């Protein structure tokens, strides 16, 4: 194995509350730390753990395709790995959830013969279950990226929870916009209104990022989504529209099986 290495870790969602011991150790023991967070307070917090912290945020730019941004981020980290340094990439939330850069960087490092690992962390999904009181095992929970849900023929069950991530940029095919508006959301509502109805209650959710802040959990009618205040961090949670429907044929077969 070559001397350079890469560890991608997650900082969790809430400042100072979710960082696991092994992730902290990777940060503190690295030669260089690359950081991807949108809050300057979080940047300052990580800088207290290591003298060489380099923000990846400057690679973002208005109108710039995120695919190009991600490629440049990976190149920056891999340059240090190839130089034989222990590199840590520290990312907001979980490094493997809605985060292309860690996955692609780890795959690249391993393909070139370097040691590369990913450490699990608290994600927005974990916070969502806790903040909204949802047990995904009760009736089931379906997760889709909002634009993917809109652009592909997805088969979903309205008797389970439906969670649509990045609802604030639904329908963006340019991969460069930071928001889309009512016309794009209207297309999504065309898919959602028939199975749920326009007055079905949905939740616009955002996890808390600071210990002094509260999570966002705005409840509204589905039709109100058209002009709601949504950001790239907003997740749409759609509760079930009705009870689960028993599979009577399978129940009958199980009864015969158990009787035999």
């Amino acid at each position: 194995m070559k001397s350079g290495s890469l560890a991608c870790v997650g900082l969790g969602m809430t400042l100072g509350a979710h960082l696991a011991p092994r992730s902290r150790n990777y940060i503190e023991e690295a030669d260089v730390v690359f950081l991807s967070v949108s809050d300057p307070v979080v940047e300052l917090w990580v800088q207290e753990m290591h003298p060489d912290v380099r923000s990846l945020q400057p690679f973002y730019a208005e109108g710039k395709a995120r695919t190009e941004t991600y490629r440049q981020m990976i190149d920056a980290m891999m340059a240090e790995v190839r130089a034989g340094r222990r590199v840590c990439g520290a990312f907001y939330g979980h490094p493997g959830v809605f985060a292309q850069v860690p996955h692609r960087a780890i795959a690249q490092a391993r393909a070139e013969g370097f040691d590369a690992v990913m450490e699990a962390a608290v994600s927005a999904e974990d916070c969502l279950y806790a903040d909204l009181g949802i047990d995904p095992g009760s009736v089931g929970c379906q997760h889709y990226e909002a634009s993917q849900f809109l652009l592909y023929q997805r088969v979903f069950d309205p008797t389970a929870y439906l969670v649509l991530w990045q609802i604030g940029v639904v329908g963006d095919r340019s991969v460069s916009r930071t928001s889309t508006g009512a016309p794009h959301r209207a297309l999504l509502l065309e898919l959602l209104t028939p199975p749920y109805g326009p007055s079905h209650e949905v939740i616009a959710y955002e996890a808390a990022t600071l210990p002094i802040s509260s999570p966002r959990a705005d409840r509204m009618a589905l039709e109100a989504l058209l002009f709601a205040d949504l950001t790239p961090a907003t997740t749409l949670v759609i509760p079930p529209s009705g009870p689960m429907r028993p599979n009577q044929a399978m129940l009958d077969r199980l009864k015969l099986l158990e009787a035999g």
Side-chain angles (χ1 to χ4, degrees):
M1 192 70 68
K2 297 180 181 179
S3 59
S5 66
L6 173 65
C8 290
V9 306
L11 302 173
M13 301 303 298
T14 304
L15 173 65
H18 298 154
L19 183 61
R22 289 214 311 185
S23 295
R24 177 185 283 273
N25 186 66
Y26 275 119
I27 293 173
E28 293 176 341
E29 297 299 320
D31 294 317
V32 57
V33 177
F34 287 92
L35 181 64
S36 180
V37 296
S38 57
D39 193 320
V41 176
V42 179
E43 285 200 15
L44 291 173
W45 172 59
V46 177
Q47 287 170 1
E48 293 178 354
M49 302 181 213
H50 197 281
D52 188 0
V53 175
R54 306 177 191 180
S55 176
L56 293 170
Q57 293 305 111
F59 287 110
Y60 287 105
E62 186 66 32
K64 179 180 179 182
R66 287 192 290 277
T67 51
E68 175 64 12
T69 295
Y70 298 158
R71 184 190 64 78
Q72 292 174 340
M73 290 178 174
I74 294 166
D75 288 347
M77 291 193 292
M78 285 304 302
E80 295 297 329
V81 173
R82 295 178 186 121
R85 309 189 77 190
R86 293 172 299 173
V87 176
C88 178
F91 298 84
Y92 170 70
H94 189 300
V97 178
F98 284 90
Q100 293 186 31
V101 171
H103 282 294
R104 289 169 55 187
I106 287 173
Q108 182 67 40
R110 289 174 176 171
E112 295 183 22
F114 296 102
D115 182 45
V117 297
M118 177 182 288
E119 279 294 317
V122 174
S123 70
E125 180 184 349
D126 302 304
C127 296
L128 183 153
Y129 294 140
D131 293 333
L132 300 184
I134 294 173
D135 179 356
S138 60
V139 296
C141 197
Q142 308 152 103
H143 294 260
Y144 300 98
E145 195 277 331
S147 292
Q148 187 185 88
F149 180 83
L150 178 66
L151 297 174
Y152 293 88
Q153 297 183 35
R154 293 295 197 175
V155 178
F156 64 98
D157 180 2
T159 69
Y161 282 95
L162 177 62
V163 180
L164 298 179
W165 297 89
Q166 299 177 332
I167 191 68
V169 290
V170 64
D172 174 31
R173 295 194 299 160
S174 69
V175 202
S176 63
R177 301 174 65 172
T178 57
S179 66
T180 52
H184 292 79
R185 298 177 197 177
L187 296 176
L188 178 65
L189 290 179
E190 287 183 17
L191 295 178
L192 297 176
T193 300
Y196 293 103
S199 61
H200 185 72
E201 184 179 80
V202 300
I203 308 166
Y205 172 78
E206 294 177 20
T209 58
L210 298 175
I212 59 173
S213 62
S214 300
R216 176 187 180 185
D218 292 343
R219 297 176 183 270
M220 65 188 78
L222 177 63
E223 60 186 354
L225 185 69
L226 196 63
F227 299 106
D229 180 18
L230 305 176
T231 75
T234 308
T235 299
L236 181 66
V237 180
I238 306 178
S241 62
M244 293 185 289
R245 296 180 293 274
N247 185 336
Q248 192 59 51
M250 190 60 68
L251 288 170
D252 292 342
R253 290 178 63 184
L254 284 172
K255 188 180 297 185
L256 289 172
L257 185 65
E258 293 163 357

